[in-house]
Each structure stands twice: as C-alpha cells, then as structure tokens.
Amino acid sequence: MELKIIETDKKKQKPSGALGFGKYFTDHMFVMEYDDGKWHDARIQPYAPFTLQPCCSVFHYGQGVFEGTKAYKNKKGEVRLFRPKDNLLRLNDSSDRVCIPPIDVDFVLDALKKLVMLDSDWIPTDEGTSLYIRPSVIATENALGVHAAKSYIFFIILSPSGSYYAHGLEPVRLCVEEKYVRAAKGGTGHHKVIGNYAASLKAGEQAALKGYDQVMWLDGKEHKYVEEVGSMNIFFVFDGVVKTPALLGSILPGITRRSVIELLKSEGVTVEECEIPIADVIDGAVSGRLEEVFGTGTAAVISPVGDFGYRGKDYAVGGGKMGKITKHVYETLTGIQTGKIADPFGWVIKL
Ligand code: COI
C-alpha cells in the first residue's frame, strides 16, 4: 500500500506551561480505512475530526482496541521510540480478540516513524515529558446487528504529555477493590479493548472520592489475588524478592512490565511472576516484609505506591516514600528511553 502525506497549512499553537497527560494533540495524524476485506487509503493528514453516523457500530457495541507508546527527544535533539513494534503486535492480538482484522505491523511502524518525524517539533524535552502515541482501531459499519463490523478506521494521534498523575512522581495511593470486577479469565482483560476501561470507571470514581489515585484490582473469581491497577501493572518487593502477578489470562501483558522484568533479571535480581494473595500483601505491609510497591505502564512509567486502602484501613509501604528498587528501575528505564543510559537490549529505535 502506498502512504500519502498531506501536510497541514495551518500549524496549531503549541501548549505552554504544564502539559498534563493526553490533553493536546499535534498537527498531523495517521489514518487508514478497512473495507471489502482490505486496509486502504493510508495517509498522514492534518489532525481532524471524523464524521461518523449515529448508527456506527463502535458507538453501540464498543468494538475497538488501542495502544499507547511514546517518543522521546533528548537534549541532543535525538528522537527515540521505545519498543513500538511490540505495541503494534499487541494491538493485533487485541484486535483478534474482538474480531478486528490485523494491520500490517511493518507498514504501520514505518508510517508511525514518518508521522513522529513530521511532528517532531511537538516532542517535549523537559524531564518526565514525552510524546504519547495513541494507535487505535474502531469499527465503523453503519448497522445495529451484533456482529463483527465489515469496516474499520485505524488511526494514530500524538499528544505531548507530562506525568500521568497530577502529582508527578509522588507515591500514589491505591484502593483495593472488592465489589467490582475488572476482568475474568476468558474475558477481554488480557487485551487492550476499549470497553475494559469503561467498566473500570465506577470503582475509580468511588476510590477517588475516598482520596485514592487508582484502584488495585483483585481476581474476578475469588477476590483473593492481586491482578493490576487502573492504568498500570503492579510489582511488589518482599524481602528483596520482586514479584508481579503472573499473566494468567485476565491481566494486561504490559510492555513496561516486560521491560522491567527483563531489566531486573539481566542484573541478577530474582523476579517471580506468580499469584499474589492480597492477604500476603497486607501481612507484608504490617510486618514490614513488604518493602516496595510500584506500578508500571507506558503512560504511568514507573509509579511508586505509598499506601493502599483495604477494608477501610490504610497500609503504608516503605514509609510512604519511593523505594530503592523502584528508583533504580525508574532511572534505568527512563535513562534508556531518553538516551542518558546505553540500551543493551535493543529496545530503542532512533529516528
Ligand atoms: C498506557 O499506559 O499507554 C495506557 O494505555 C494506559 C491508560 C492511559 C489507559
């Protein structure tokens, strides 16, 4: 397929001041459509609204998937992508789960690189900032029957962003959720399906009313094992051993999660992917055996957890401060992403 590039003649004003997360969008976007069994009309074009009919299938049945990855620009002006191909491969896995046709990963990766370079003057360079990249697919068939749509739009938009949490790298407060369920084995929790996030909002709002930043989800069957957090995977350090919930079919296989495991293992640190009972987490917090807790995610990066609430009681972790391993992982990963530290893993693509 040919990639067309239509440049805007009306560049937008860039934001000044704090960026926040996902509030501003660059001058261009990538778009292609799917009809009659194939993707077509791939183009980089000015960022613009879509016109969709009220009967468009994504509005009714939520057939859609998305990804999140980032571009970084360092002080030398180098533009760097972090494992973008892994995100596009995961997008195809998510698509398969909800009957969306796959994209050609190499073609889209090439288009993504061109899009990022076209809008590279939007990539912020301050510490903790990056260009958040959001590839998405939505079903666009104009029909109300419940079936996999016959037409789709794939698009990539770019958003210069700062920290995901308003309070930056300050430890976050999590609320352990026992009433609502995020995902069950066999469902869509293992994939980045748009409806997963709508289903998580109620618990998130209730946690926020009680002063927490995000929800810590337990397994859907017994409410016994920790699964993940609102927008992050979760890691625990018990007596120097790093543990994270195993991917047993209802947890998102995070690319930052995978990178942290690979990084720590390469340094000789034991990392266990296993079932983690919430009872062990509570015991660990009370006895002091639980030394650190941190979340991982593209948007959230590495987020220290200062405390969590469970059944009306708050439990502090590591004196409410960022722990040693958390700090090391944060500095190493962001160092590799921005080029301050060499990348021995081949994760970064320099543009
Ligand atoms: C990401 O980390 O990229 C995510 O997609 C999480 C979130 C903002 C939904």
Side-chain angles (χ1 to χ4, degrees), residues 21 66-69 132 134 164 192 197 231 297-300:
F21 174 78
F66 71 95
E67 269 303 326
T69 182
Y132 185 76
R134 171 57 62 89
Y164 186 71
K192 234 165 158 54
Y197 293 81
S231 61
T298 297

Side-chain angles (χ1 to χ4, degrees), residues 26-229:
T26 67
D27 288 316
H28 298 92
M29 64 200 277
F30 171 79
V31 187
M32 63 181 179
E33 279 112 24
Y34 182 94
D35 293 285
D36 300 324
K38 56 180 191 312
W39 290 104
H40 63 91
D41 284 317
R43 65 220 182 248
I44 289 171
Q45 61 160 65
Y47 182 94
F50 296 126
T51 301
L52 297 170
Q53 296 212 22
C55 60
C56 177
S57 42
V58 71
F59 294 147
H60 301 273
Y61 307 123
Q63 195 194 2
V65 297
F66 71 95
E67 269 303 326
T69 182
K70 282 178 173 173
Y72 306 84
K73 194 195 266 180
N74 58 24
K75 302 281 179 214
K76 287 189 266 171
E78 264 175 9
V79 176
R80 303 161 66 89
L81 301 175
F82 184 72
R83 310 189 83 169
K85 190 162 180 172
D86 295 23
N87 287 90
L88 297 177
L89 290 166
R90 188 175 66 176
L91 181 105
N92 272 348
D93 282 347
S94 300
S95 290
D96 183 64
R97 176 64 183 82
V98 290
C99 301
I100 294 175
I103 54 163
D104 176 338
V105 166
D106 290 322
F107 177 83
V108 171
L109 182 56
D110 186 55
L112 167 58
K113 290 177 188 172
K114 292 192 167 97
L115 174 65
V116 168
M117 284 318 282
L118 184 60
D119 281 349
S120 64
D121 55 341
W122 283 83
I123 310 176
T125 52
D126 286 348
E127 185 74 30
T129 63
S130 58
L131 185 73
Y132 185 76
I133 301 169
R134 171 57 62 89
S136 304
V137 192
I138 54 168
T140 54
E141 188 174 335
N142 293 320
L144 294 184
V146 179
H147 56 253
K150 291 187 178 58
S151 49
Y152 299 88
I153 296 177
F154 172 93
F155 58 93
I156 304 175
I157 51 174
L158 309 175
S159 176
S161 291
S163 170
Y164 186 71
Y165 294 105
H167 44 68
L169 258 187
E170 280 300 301
V172 292
R173 309 192 64 220
L174 304 181
C175 181
V176 180
E177 175 61 49
E178 288 200 284
K179 179 176 172 196
Y180 298 108
V181 167
R182 189 194 82 93
K185 289 191 180 74
T188 56
H190 183 69
H191 297 98
K192 234 165 158 54
V193 167
I194 56 179
N196 289 348
Y197 293 81
S200 76
L201 297 179
K202 189 85 183 166
E205 271 198 6
Q206 291 182 355
L209 283 176
K210 290 187 243 160
Y212 298 100
D213 296 295
Q214 288 214 344
V215 169
M216 194 195 294
W217 296 101
L218 303 179
D219 71 280
K221 194 171 172 200
E222 297 179 89
H223 287 184
K224 198 169 158 190
Y225 301 102
V226 178
E227 296 229 313
E228 63 177 71
V229 174

